[in-house]
Amino acid sequence: MRKIFSFIIASVMLLGSSLLSMAQKNEFNPITTGVTSLNIAPDARGASMGDIGAATEPDENSQYWNPSKYAFAYSAAGVSLSYTPWLRKLVNDIALLNAAGYWKIGSGDNQAVSASLRYFSLGEVNLTDGEGNVTSSINPYEMSVDLGYSRKLSESFSMGVALRYIYSNLGFSDASSSETTKGASAFAADISGFLNTYPIIGRNECQWAFGWNISNIGTKVTYNGGNDPAFLPTNLKIGTTFTFPLADYHNLAFSLDLNKLLVPARPRQADYEDQQSYEEALQDWKDMSPISGIFKSFSDAPGGAKEELREINYSLGLEYNYNHQFFLRAGYYHENEYKGNRQYFGLGAGFSLNVVKLDAAYMIATAQSSPLDQTLRFTLSFDMNGIRDMLGGRR
């Protein structure tokens, strides 16, 4: 007997119990993708500001938000480790682990290489027979590993690329079956840009940044022997950040991010007059190439421009820092109720002590019965350049 958990688990992971209250609404039409864990923000800093990072100050976790920011990083190298317990109101053994880092190369301080590794564990799943008896258990997971390169093209603008290998292992075969289940693999790429300027307002030198990132442009993943192809969560992220000095050593940054999945919506039977028309549209959707799907995603909504606007999620964030040593953060993330209904506030703090930085975030959902409520995230970062200097000073 063979079972594939991909779409069931993905739905629970992202939408959870909020789907129950929306299922009866005819306009409810979320975008479905494979490997949905790729859209989970890995670090506490970005999460605490409402999942923001396209144009925020570069840090070790820029690989997820916008790899081109690494070219403007202050330190020569850095690494980070993040841990995110996920959906704790529903289960207690799902978590995301993430490691990321970068290294500035060359003599002009204008280019960097970067990498990250994500591992999303969906915990232990018990398998039962027809009578409900537990026969065995599995541990499904998803992972990705990527490499990036970024370079300044001018004093204020940089671009970056990242190449990614993705593996999704959500299926199994039991001992009584001759069938074997293989995980789904895919390859993807990111392309990004980052503009960083220092305008003078009054007597204050401020900082204004603009960034964008098109992530997970790649092949489809196929489950169930190729019968269930799924688009990767290709995403367009555009953001801006404005930082204003309040006083000596005190700074306040305002950020806004907009996100849109560049994935065509799966056809709904309710939108077609007969079964044949629906099946033809569904087959066209399955056969559509990922690149065609990117362009189709801007014009496929049955509700026209109104529904296309619903597919744009937005985040608002605020970050206060004192001398880049103490941080307070807050933010809000909004997804339209007909596209998934993820709506939550983020709160967080960070402490930096020379070469080590600890960030924490706490999520408070505003949508009723949201599984994202009371989600914690933690990130530990290391300034490798500072560690080198510190060790060198001890000799």
Side-chain angles (χ1 to χ4, degrees), residues 123-128 134-140 172:
E124 185 177 52
V125 178
N126 291 325
L127 311 179
T128 60
V134 177
T135 58
S136 60
S137 63
I138 60 171
N139 296 95
F172 75 96

Side-chain angles (χ1 to χ4, degrees), residues 58 60 70-79 102-104 109 111-112 382-389:
E60 290 79 7
Y70 283 125
F72 284 91
Y74 300 119
S75 178
V79 297
Y102 72 94
W103 178 36
K104 301 289 284 288
D109 191 37
Q111 53 187 330
F382 301 91
D383 182 345
M384 303 307 293
N385 195 40
I387 291 177
R388 183 193 63 185
D389 293 343

Side-chain angles (χ1 to χ4, degrees), residues 265-315:
R266 184 185 178 95
R268 297 183 304 173
Q269 190 165 4
D271 296 325
Y272 296 86
E273 296 181 355
D274 55 73
Q275 182 68 21
Q276 181 178 354
S277 298
Y278 165 69
E279 291 180 354
E280 290 176 355
L282 181 60
Q283 190 60 49
D284 289 342
W285 180 84
K286 291 183 177 181
D287 294 338
M288 189 178 302
S289 70
I291 300 301
S292 297
I294 290 176
F295 294 99
K296 184 67 173 177
S297 67
F298 291 99
S299 61
D300 66 327
K306 178 181 178 181
E307 186 163 346
E308 293 292 349
L309 289 175
R310 289 175 177 173
E311 295 180 356
I312 299 176
N313 307 330
Y314 68 84
S315 302

Side-chain angles (χ1 to χ4, degrees), residues 182-196:
K182 297 180 180 180
S185 297
F187 294 91
D190 302 351
I191 182 170
S192 59
F194 182 62
L195 175 68
N196 189 44

Side-chain angles (χ1 to χ4, degrees), residues 54-58 66 68-69 72 156-159 192-196 207 209-212:
T56 53
E57 189 173 279
N66 184 345
S68 62
K69 295 196 298 182
F72 284 91
S156 59
F157 181 69
S158 65
M159 291 192 69
S192 59
F194 182 62
L195 175 68
N196 189 44
Q207 183 178 9
F210 174 82
W212 56 272

Side-chain angles (χ1 to χ4, degrees), residues 10-11 13-16 18-19 22 28-33 36 39 50-51 235 257 259-261 307 309-316 332-345 366-367 370-372:
S11 298
M13 179 176 62
L14 285 182
L15 306 178
S18 64
L19 290 179
M22 300 295 301
F28 184 68
N29 187 26
I31 304 297
T32 58
T33 70
T36 50
N39 272 345
D51 286 358
N235 184 76
D257 272 14
N259 287 273
K260 185 187 186 309
L261 280 173
E307 186 163 346
L309 289 175
R310 289 175 177 173
E311 295 180 356
I312 299 176
N313 307 330
Y314 68 84
S315 302
L316 297 170
Y332 176 70
Y333 179 92
H334 179 88
E335 180 180 59
N336 188 274
E337 61 177 334
Y338 299 113
K339 293 298 178 179
N341 203 34
R342 289 176 296 163
Q343 301 172 20
Y344 48 87
F345 286 97
T366 59
S370 172
L372 295 174

Side-chain angles (χ1 to χ4, degrees), residues 22-333:
M22 300 295 301
Q24 302 303 319
K25 297 188 177 182
N26 292 332
E27 294 184 69
F28 184 68
N29 187 26
I31 304 297
T32 58
T33 70
V35 202
T36 50
S37 63
L38 290 174
N39 272 345
I40 300 176
D43 66 302
R45 181 195 180 202
S48 63
M49 292 188 286
D51 286 358
I52 276 180
T56 53
E57 189 173 279
D59 63 11
E60 290 79 7
N61 292 289
S62 296
Q63 186 82 342
Y64 174 80
W65 301 105
N66 184 345
S68 62
K69 295 196 298 182
Y70 283 125
F72 284 91
Y74 300 119
S75 178
V79 297
S80 72
L81 302 172
S82 299
Y83 174 69
T84 302
W86 195 246
L87 303 183
R88 284 307 164 115
K89 294 187 71 175
L90 299 180
V91 291
N92 60 9
D93 59 353
I94 297 180
L96 172 67
L97 301 173
N98 187 84
Y102 72 94
W103 178 36
K104 301 289 284 288
I105 59 176
S107 58
D109 191 37
N110 62 356
Q111 53 187 330
V113 293
S114 53
S116 70
L117 171 66
R118 294 167 60 96
Y119 183 85
F120 186 76
S121 171
L122 285 95
E124 185 177 52
V125 178
N126 291 325
L127 311 179
T128 60
D129 57 23
E131 299 179 354
N133 300 313
V134 177
T135 58
S136 60
S137 63
I138 60 171
N139 296 95
Y141 67 92
E142 294 179 333
M143 64 165 291
S144 68
V145 59
D146 51 41
L147 296 173
Y149 172 77
S150 59
R151 182 183 179 89
K152 290 182 183 178
L153 302 181
S154 70
E155 289 297 318
S156 59
F157 181 69
S158 65
M159 291 192 69
V161 295
L163 301 177
R164 179 170 300 111
Y165 170 73
I166 303 159
Y167 183 75
S168 177
N169 185 15
L170 303 180
F172 75 96
S173 302
D174 74 29
S176 62
S177 174
S178 60
E179 294 181 295
T180 58
T181 299
K182 297 180 180 180
S185 297
F187 294 91
D190 302 351
I191 182 170
S192 59
F194 182 62
L195 175 68
N196 189 44
T197 63
Y198 296 89
I200 302 297
I201 299 180
R203 297 182 179 180
N204 298 303
E205 183 183 55
C206 304
Q207 183 178 9
W208 177 74
F210 174 82
W212 56 272
N213 183 24
I214 304 177
S215 58
N216 299 314
I217 307 168
T219 60
K220 288 183 177 180
V221 291
T222 56
Y223 302 96
N224 194 20
N227 295 320
D228 294 313
F231 290 92
L232 291 177
T234 307
N235 184 76
L236 170 63
K237 181 184 294 291
I238 300 174
T240 185
T241 294
F242 182 80
T243 303
F244 183 83
L246 300 175
D248 291 343
Y249 308 112
H250 299 266
N251 296 285
L252 189 63
F254 300 88
S255 297
L256 166 68
D257 272 14
L258 302 176
N259 287 273
K260 185 187 186 309
L261 280 173
L262 303 182
V263 177
R266 184 185 178 95
R268 297 183 304 173
Q269 190 165 4
D271 296 325
Y272 296 86
E273 296 181 355
D274 55 73
Q275 182 68 21
Q276 181 178 354
S277 298
Y278 165 69
E279 291 180 354
E280 290 176 355
L282 181 60
Q283 190 60 49
D284 289 342
W285 180 84
K286 291 183 177 181
D287 294 338
M288 189 178 302
S289 70
I291 300 301
S292 297
I294 290 176
F295 294 99
K296 184 67 173 177
S297 67
F298 291 99
S299 61
D300 66 327
K306 178 181 178 181
E307 186 163 346
E308 293 292 349
L309 289 175
R310 289 175 177 173
E311 295 180 356
I312 299 176
N313 307 330
Y314 68 84
S315 302
L316 297 170
L318 181 69
E319 181 181 51
Y320 161 82
N321 82 75
Y322 171 73
N323 199 30
H324 291 276
Q325 294 179 339
F326 173 70
F327 302 83
L328 288 176
R329 308 181 181 102
Y332 176 70
Y333 179 92

